[in-house]
Amino acid sequence: MDEVLLVTGRSVVVEQVRRLAAAGGVLLRVVADAAAAGAAWRGAPVVLLGDDAAALGVPWRRPGVLLVAPSTPGQDTAPLWRSAVEVGAEGVALLPGDAPAVASLIATAADGPGTGGLVVGVVGGCGGAGASVLAAAVARTAAAADPPHPVVLLDADPLGGGADALVGAHDEPGLRWHDVLDAPAPLRSAALADGLPRGRDGVRVLSWAPWPEPRSAPPAAVEAVLEAAARASGTVVVDLPRHSGSSLLWRLDLLVLVVPAHLRAVASAGAQLPVLMGHAGDVRLVVAEPPGAPLDPDDVSDALALPLLGRLPPDRDVRSATGRGDPLPRPRGALARCARSVLAVLADPDDRSGRAA
């Protein structure tokens, strides 16, 4: 594991960063100024550059630099941002307030280099659209691919019914959201992947425990978990809550919007589109066709001005399984075709980049 480099002469910053590094099991090298860092300035995966050291200048600009400074009451951060721009730092963190962000960056560096997996989000255009079922089907289809690769199903809806039940991991031991959020430091990607319960076809799933009180998670914490999951797997499937805002949308490689072929559902989905289109680079449409649906999927696609990725007619076996609380049957028929279409678009960077443009 490479060392994280801390460049500062401020003892208060050294003390706080040492605690964060120790909690994450990360090696930390401390030098007073960038010139004294030598080859470590070029080779360290992450550099935490104190504002005092930034004022002395850096040998050359490099990626992976975060400017850190102690916070003070009524602090004017404009000079810090100007200094960050001058030295090529990618952001500013004030300690101790921004300790979670610094800890997440340290954990990322400790995981070592890696591009991370592709991330697809699935969200319903209205309640009961079937987004969770499609998310579970996409995850299982990806996990059963040849050759197989690790897949994480991330249940990002704290008020949903639990993605673990859909893939047969409800009674399996392993980490749930409260375990991850209550951890003293961000979990390394390998520890997260190894600790998650596994469902059908080997899908790793992170879901919410059945707590009696309302549940929530800070957006920054959810983003950090998503990044760790992406580093640990080939594909991450995120079951998104409606009205999810932009906290996760920016990280998606593909967003799938599931809309029933009803006028009210189309109107509800249309109300979400400004947020979805503003933060997600590529949004595709799947139209659910419940019995007696009055609209044609092509008409829904035209109304929302979204490319039609697939259609989901009624599936009696899926409906029976969800009604009983049983795991979903192995995806087949239209559900399997739709899941494969999602994965095909996700795996085609030219297709996705063209849509984003």
Side-chain angles (χ1 to χ4, degrees):
M1 180 180 62
D2 293 326
E3 293 178 324
V4 170
L5 179 64
L6 173 62
V7 185
T8 185
R10 295 186 185 275
S11 59
V12 62
V13 172
V14 172
E15 180 182 354
Q16 293 182 62
V17 174
R18 280 195 190 280
R19 286 201 298 266
L20 295 174
V26 177
L27 301 176
L28 184 69
R29 179 180 178 185
V30 182
V31 297
D33 60 78
W41 176 261
R42 178 177 59 253
V46 166
V47 174
L48 302 175
L49 181 66
D51 61 321
D52 57 324
L56 301 176
V58 298
W60 55 81
R61 293 187 174 208
R62 52 148 291 168
V65 175
L66 178 69
L67 192 143
V68 294
S71 61
T72 58
Q75 186 172 16
D76 179 12
T77 60
L80 295 176
W81 282 102
R82 284 195 294 269
S83 181
V85 171
E86 291 172 359
V87 299
E90 298 173 357
V92 173
L94 301 179
L95 296 172
D98 292 331
V102 175
S104 178
L105 186 64
I106 290 174
T108 300
D111 284 332
T115 58
L118 295 171
V119 183
V120 55
V122 185
V123 65
C126 64
S132 295
V133 168
L134 179 58
V138 170
R140 289 190 60 183
T141 302
D146 186 18
H149 61 272
V151 176
V152 172
L153 175 58
L154 195 66
D155 183 0
D157 187 358
L159 300 180
D164 51 354
L166 292 175
V167 296
H170 181 70
D171 294 326
E172 296 296 320
L175 298 171
R176 263 65 179 183
W177 269 108
H178 67 275
D179 301 308
V180 176
L181 297 175
D182 293 342
L187 287 176
R188 303 260 289 277
S189 59
L192 177 66
D194 291 342
L196 293 177
R198 298 197 183 195
R200 303 287 173 87
D201 297 313
V203 172
R204 299 176 173 94
V205 58
L206 179 61
S207 62
W208 300 88
W211 295 349
E213 67 270 13
R215 299 161 290 179
S216 63
V222 177
E223 291 177 30
V225 171
L226 174 56
E227 289 294 339
R231 294 194 302 273
S233 64
T235 303
V236 179
V237 184
V238 187
D239 184 6
L240 290 163
R242 295 180 59 223
H243 315 298
S244 59
S246 60
S247 61
L248 292 180
L249 296 178
W250 68 271
R251 181 58 181 83
L252 303 178
D253 296 292
L254 174 67
L255 175 62
V256 179
L257 177 65
V258 183
V259 182
H262 286 287
L263 186 59
R264 286 174 58 85
V266 174
S268 176
Q272 295 183 59
L273 277 182
V275 172
L276 301 180
M277 300 296 290
H279 295 94
D282 188 355
V283 184
R284 307 289 179 110
L285 175 68
V286 167
V287 175
E289 301 175 283
L295 300 179
D296 184 83
D298 290 325
D299 294 332
V300 177
S301 174
D302 292 341
L304 296 175
L306 291 176
L308 181 61
L309 188 59
R311 55 186 70 195
L312 291 176
D315 189 315
R316 183 172 56 188
D317 292 339
V318 169
R319 186 168 61 249
S320 297
T322 55
R324 296 189 303 267
D326 293 339
L328 295 177
R330 181 180 293 274
R332 60 179 180 80
L335 181 59
R337 289 192 296 273
C338 192
R340 289 194 297 268
S341 296
V342 171
L343 293 170
V345 172
L346 184 66
D348 187 347
D350 293 334
D351 189 344
R352 289 187 283 108
S353 62
R355 281 292 305 164

